[in-house]
């Protein structure tokens, strides 16, 4: 018993001695030895974020589309920013006093002890102007990063832009890992491929004194991490073709989409009016963005994938003919008279077979062919028969890629509109509408809406004799990679390949001796197959449409040109397509008279018939 009592006292004694030793040491450090106090007052550890280089973007031939340029952010740590000369700071940054106070308030709301951006995207010249004065502003320091630069000023709508992440995005778990002040893709490729382009942040720990002057690395960089650059992207775009398309559309409104039919690679992507993507970089980003957003011409509107409310016009007659051939209600030799009492038409030979109907774009021919397609006598009740026919027709139309998102690797794509029995039931009531209600669909008008991208994809379907590969604008992630898996599969239509041949023959005649002679390239040995269209516009002059592909055999390019208020596809859209096809296939332009015609915009003075 005495032995146990002794052990208890020994253990207590040991704890007491250890406690006394620690107390003496603490007294020495805090009262006697001032070196620790001096070190604490003299130095602090500052974590400096190392922003990664964002991935670069190239065109299909290796030309740089998007690069990184150096910019500098002025950071603030509110706890350290004491007794600063705010007025002088405003003079250095050329900002109003109230603006500076609001920025400080915002930084404090975020954190008193963590750094946040006070003023972003200082240029190299701005940085040089203020860096020597920073010693007078404790709590402020410079953080270097890169912004986007665009050496060729093209492709703004497809490339997109980056901007500071929003508070709402920071609350979203999708953006876990981002911090206030980080930049993120906001539209276009920059948004769609953000996870590949962004890279990974690093951090460096520095010792600084009370005036913010760096005293060297903490622990010789033992805890530093390197930033990892984002992956580069190789796009499908041909920069020379893109620039030429923008040149031809300068001053006009509309779209151009060109696709390589066999792969679905987008060769050119023009949304007019367009803008220099460099205006959405630098410290004037906010002002320039609002100016573009409020532009009456809707410059920020990404027409190739978003303009889905305009009817396709006569190019849609090709789809009607293909479905009618598949259903067996017509043959290539089926002839119909041009009966203008059914639907208005221009003067041409009559009656016509399918080849001639495509060449001359005969409205009454397609009225009659579409009626034979819709009313096949599957019900004795004409209302029910029309509903059955329209439902079956719609399923085949959807197989061409109309009426749904194609899935291009760009955000904001719209589906378009394809009429359905449900739509007419809602408007007129069930069994209260028939063919005479919907006949305008036969010529690409009425309850139809397609995007310019869908038009170009339709041209690819015909060029490929019945299939398409999902259009995409990135060829590879990494300079030696491949497109994402979803952009390597073929999608087949419901139409047998043999039914495309008479349509293609008719399209060749459209360009050789029909409504699209301005796209003719026979003198350079290229057979272009195309179809013009006029999309009715109740708000003003009609819109002009043209789709085409070339060469006729083994096509290398399919294209859609949509000119708002262009009136006639053969006058405004067709010559643009012809010029671009020749440019892409021969790397030259010989039909200079068509280039002059396009740039003159004389087609705007042609009176509608």
């Amino acid at each position: 018993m005495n032995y146990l009592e002794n052990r208890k006292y020994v253990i207590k004694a040991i704890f007491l001695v250890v406690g006394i030793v620690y107390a003496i040491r603490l007294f020495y450090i805090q009262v006697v030895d001032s070196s620790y106090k001096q070190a604490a007052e003299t130095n602090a550890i500052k974590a400096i974020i190392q922003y990664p280089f964002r991935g670069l973007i190239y065109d299909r031939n290796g030309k740089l589309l998007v690069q990184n340029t150096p910019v500098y952010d002025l950071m603030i740590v509110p706890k350290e920013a004491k007794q600063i000369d705010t007025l002088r700071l405003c003079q250095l940054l050329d900002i109003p006093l109230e603006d500076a106070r609001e920025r400080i308030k915002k930084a404090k709301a975020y954190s008193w002890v963590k750094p946040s951006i006070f003023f972003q995207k200082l240029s190299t010249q701005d940085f040089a102007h203020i860096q020597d004065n920073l010693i007078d502003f404790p709590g402020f320091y410079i953080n270097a990063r890169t912004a986007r630069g665009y050496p060729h000023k093209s492709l703004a709508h497809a490339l997109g832009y980056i901007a500071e992440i929003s508070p709402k995005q920071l609350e979203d778990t999708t953006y876990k890992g981002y911090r206030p002040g980080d930049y993120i893709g906001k539209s276009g490729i920059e948004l769609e491929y953000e996870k590949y382009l962004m890279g990974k942040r690093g951090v460096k720990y520095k010792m600084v004194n009370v005036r913010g002057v760096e005293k060297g690395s903490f622990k010789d960089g033992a805890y530093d991490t390197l930033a990892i650059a984002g992956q580069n992207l190789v796009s499908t775009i041909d920069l020379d073709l893109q620039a030429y398309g923008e040149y031809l559309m300068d001053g006009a409104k509309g779209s151009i989409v060109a696709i390589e039919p066999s792969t679905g690679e987008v060769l050119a992507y023009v949304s007019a009016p367009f803008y220099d993507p460099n205006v959405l970089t630098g410290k004037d980003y906010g002002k320039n963005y609002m100016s573009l957003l409020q532009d009456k011409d809707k410059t920020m509107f990404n027409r190739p994938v978003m303009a889905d409310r305009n009817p396709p016009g006569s190019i849609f007659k090709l789809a009607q003919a293909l479905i009618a051939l598949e259903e067996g209600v017509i043959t290539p030799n089926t002839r119909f008279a041009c009966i203008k009492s059914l639907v208005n038409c221009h003067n041409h030979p009559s009656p016509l077979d399918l080849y001639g109907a495509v060449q001359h774009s005969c409205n009454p021919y397609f009225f009659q062919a579409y009626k034979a397609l819709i009313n096949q006598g599957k019900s004795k009740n004409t209302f029910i028969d029309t509903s059955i026919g329209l439902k079956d027709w719609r399923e085949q139309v959807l197989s061409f890629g109309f009426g749904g998102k194609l899935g291009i690797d760009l955000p904001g794509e719209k589906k378009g509109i394809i009429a359905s029995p449900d739509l007419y039931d809602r408007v007129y009531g069930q069994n209260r509408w028939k063919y005479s209600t919907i006949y305008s669909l036969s010529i690409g008008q009425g309850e139809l809406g397609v995007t310019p991208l869908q038009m170009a994809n339709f041209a690819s379907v015909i060029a490929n004799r019945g299939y398409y590969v999902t259009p995409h604008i990135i060829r590879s992630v990494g300079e030696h990679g491949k497109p994402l898996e979803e952009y390597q599969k073929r999608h087949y239509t419901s139409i047998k390949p043999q039914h495309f041949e008479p349509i293609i023959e008719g399209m060749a005649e459209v360009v050789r001796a029909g409504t699209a002679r301005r796209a003719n390239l026979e003198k350079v040995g290229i057979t272009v197959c195309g179809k013009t269209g006029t999309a009715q516009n109740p708000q003003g002059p009609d819109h002009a449409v043209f789709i085409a592909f070339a060469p006729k055999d083994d096509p290398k390019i399919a294209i859609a040109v949509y000119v708002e208020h262009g009136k006639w596809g053969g006058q405004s859209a067709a010559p643009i397509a012809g010029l671009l096809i020749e440019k892409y296939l021969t790397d030259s332009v010989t039909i200079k008279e068509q280039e002059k015609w396009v740039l003159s915009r004389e087609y705007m003075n042609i009176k509608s018939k």
Side-chain angles (χ1 to χ4, degrees):
M1 191 71 176
N2 290 334
Y3 171 73
L4 292 175
E5 286 287 332
N6 291 336
R7 284 188 62 187
K8 182 174 70 173
Y9 290 123
V10 169
I11 292 170
K12 286 183 177 180
I14 291 172
F15 275 107
L16 182 61
V17 170
V18 171
I20 292 171
V21 170
Y22 272 108
I24 294 171
R25 183 61 178 163
L26 286 172
F27 177 79
Y28 179 79
I29 290 172
Q30 294 180 358
V31 179
V32 179
D33 188 352
S34 63
S35 61
Y36 287 92
K37 180 181 177 182
Q38 291 171 354
E41 291 177 346
T42 305
N43 297 292
I45 300 170
K46 180 171 68 177
I48 301 176
I49 299 298
Q50 302 296 298
Y51 288 96
F53 288 107
R54 197 168 174 87
L56 307 178
I57 305 176
Y58 297 89
D59 91 330
R60 65 191 296 114
N61 299 310
K63 295 178 180 177
L64 189 62
L65 296 175
V66 185
Q67 64 189 10
N68 293 311
T69 57
V71 294
Y72 304 89
D73 293 337
L74 181 60
M75 310 296 290
I76 179 175
V77 180
K79 184 180 179 181
E80 300 172 9
K82 298 176 180 178
Q83 297 181 341
I84 60 169
D85 187 341
T86 310
L87 185 59
R88 184 168 167 235
L89 181 64
C90 291
Q91 292 171 344
L92 287 170
L93 296 173
D94 192 25
I95 59 174
L97 182 60
E98 285 304 314
D99 188 6
R101 287 172 176 167
E102 185 61 32
R103 290 169 188 259
I104 293 173
K105 182 180 177 181
K106 182 180 176 182
K108 289 178 178 178
Y110 167 63
S111 174
W112 270 84
V113 296
K114 293 180 180 179
S116 59
I117 294 178
F118 179 80
F119 195 94
Q120 62 184 5
K121 294 184 179 179
L122 290 165
S123 67
T124 303
Q125 292 80 5
D126 294 331
F127 168 61
H129 177 63
I130 69 170
Q131 71 173 133
D132 291 338
N133 296 282
L134 278 183
I135 194 171
D136 298 326
F137 298 94
F140 288 84
Y141 67 94
I142 291 290
N143 199 22
R145 71 160 81 209
T146 57
R148 294 309 234 179
Y150 306 89
H152 298 288
K153 303 180 181 180
S154 290
L155 200 66
H157 291 87
L159 292 174
Y161 64 96
I162 64 172
E164 186 176 350
I165 191 168
S166 68
K168 185 177 180 181
Q169 287 175 312
L170 286 169
E171 294 172 2
D172 189 339
T173 55
T174 305
Y175 300 97
K176 183 180 179 181
Y178 287 91
R179 301 179 181 181
D182 282 353
Y183 286 81
I184 189 171
K186 292 285 188 176
S187 70
I189 294 170
E190 295 281 15
L191 171 57
E192 192 75 11
Y193 286 85
E194 169 69 18
K195 67 179 181 179
Y196 301 104
L197 291 166
M198 63 182 287
K200 186 176 180 180
R201 279 191 303 262
V203 63
K204 284 187 177 181
Y205 295 96
K206 296 284 188 180
M207 298 291 294
V208 296
N209 64 17
V210 290
R211 295 184 67 82
V213 177
E214 291 186 3
K215 306 295 287 184
S217 297
F218 175 69
K219 296 289 186 180
D220 294 324
Y223 299 100
D224 295 353
T225 57
L226 294 174
I228 300 174
Q231 296 185 66
N232 295 339
L233 302 178
V234 177
S235 80
T236 61
I237 294 294
D238 182 309
L239 179 59
D240 292 341
L241 188 69
Q242 175 72 25
Y244 190 50
E246 291 181 1
Y247 172 69
L248 295 175
M249 289 292 285
D250 191 17
K253 293 180 185 178
S255 302
I256 299 172
V257 180
I259 298 174
E260 184 178 65
S262 61
T263 64
E265 294 184 354
V266 176
L267 304 171
Y269 184 98
V270 178
S271 181
F274 35 84
Y275 60 94
D276 179 354
N278 288 293
V279 303
L280 295 184
T281 65
K283 61 183 181 180
D284 292 327
Y285 156 77
K287 179 179 70 176
N288 293 336
Y289 176 79
M290 291 307 299
S291 176
L292 289 170
L293 196 63
Q294 296 168 1
D295 182 7
K296 63 180 178 62
D297 291 327
K298 299 181 179 179
T299 301
M300 292 289 283
F301 185 53
N302 197 347
R303 286 169 164 80
V305 293
M306 293 182 175
D308 71 334
R309 288 296 180 264
N310 291 322
S314 290
I315 66 167
F316 206 71
K317 294 172 181 175
L318 304 179
Q320 309 290 38
L322 286 164
I323 298 170
L325 287 168
E326 181 66 29
E327 289 293 304
V329 299
I330 65 169
T331 72
N333 298 317
T334 298
R335 301 171 76 85
F336 290 116
C338 182
I339 305 171
K340 295 182 182 179
S341 60
L342 296 175
V343 60
N344 193 29
C345 195
H346 54 278
N347 295 324
H348 59 71
S350 175
L352 294 170
D353 60 14
L354 179 57
Y355 302 96
V358 171
Q359 177 185 352
H360 295 288
S361 197
C362 177
N363 287 339
Y365 184 100
F366 290 97
F367 176 101
Q368 295 170 85
Y370 189 55
K371 189 176 191 306
L373 174 62
I374 296 298
N375 293 138
Q376 296 187 43
K378 295 179 180 180
S379 172
K380 292 181 180 179
N381 184 314
T382 186
F383 297 101
I384 296 174
D385 190 45
T386 301
S387 181
I388 292 170
L390 185 67
K391 179 177 181 294
D392 293 343
W393 164 84
R394 187 176 192 274
E395 289 179 2
Q396 300 211 56
V397 170
L398 295 181
S399 76
F400 289 97
F402 295 120
K405 295 180 181 181
L406 286 168
I408 189 172
D409 48 350
L410 289 174
E413 183 187 5
K414 302 296 185 182
K415 295 191 299 184
I417 306 165
I418 299 297
S420 67
D422 289 342
L423 186 153
Y424 293 117
D425 285 347
R426 290 195 300 270
V427 175
Y428 300 103
Q430 193 170 10
N431 297 332
R432 300 188 66 181
W433 53 274
K434 55 184 179 178
Y435 184 75
S436 59
T437 312
I438 66 170
Y439 75 88
S440 59
L441 299 176
S442 66
I443 57 173
Q445 303 294 341
E447 292 70 38
L448 295 171
V450 300
T451 65
L453 176 67
Q454 290 172 335
M455 295 179 191
N457 188 68
F458 181 44
S460 288
V461 168
I462 300 173
N464 289 331
R465 280 69 172 173
Y467 74 87
Y468 67 92
V469 179
T470 302
H472 53 284
I473 206 160
I474 292 300
R475 202 177 208 184
S476 70
V477 177
E479 293 175 41
H480 304 289
K482 294 181 179 180
L484 300 180
E485 186 177 349
E486 56 265 38
Y487 304 119
Q488 301 181 53
K489 295 183 292 187
R490 290 183 177 184
H491 305 274
Y492 287 89
T493 69
S494 60
I495 311 300
K496 295 182 183 68
Q498 62 265 29
H499 295 314
F500 287 87
E501 295 307 325
I503 301 302
I504 290 170
E505 291 298 329
M507 293 174 70
E509 287 302 301
V510 169
V511 178
R512 188 190 69 81
T515 56
R517 289 186 291 272
R518 287 185 178 276
N520 193 311
L521 297 175
E522 285 183 329
K523 69 178 182 179
V524 292
I526 298 171
T527 300
V528 178
C529 301
K531 182 71 186 78
T532 58
T534 300
Q536 294 176 2
N537 174 31
Q539 280 79 43
D542 291 338
H543 305 311
V545 190
F546 184 65
I547 65 169
F549 65 86
K552 178 183 174 184
D553 300 312
D554 192 21
K556 303 298 182 186
I557 181 173
I559 192 168
V561 179
Y562 197 99
V563 182
E564 296 177 20
H565 314 301
K567 298 183 179 180
W568 300 99
Q571 296 293 330
S572 55
I576 292 173
L579 288 162
L580 288 166
I581 289 171
E582 184 184 14
K583 172 72 172 174
Y584 182 69
L585 295 178
T586 70
D587 198 28
S588 62
V589 173
T590 61
I591 50 173
K592 291 292 185 181
E593 70 280 4
Q594 298 302 337
E595 182 181 86
K596 183 179 178 181
W597 167 259
V598 168
L599 296 175
S600 72
R601 310 289 180 223
E602 289 183 28
Y603 55 79
M604 297 299 295
N605 299 319
I606 299 175
K607 292 183 179 180
S608 298
K609 297 179 183 178

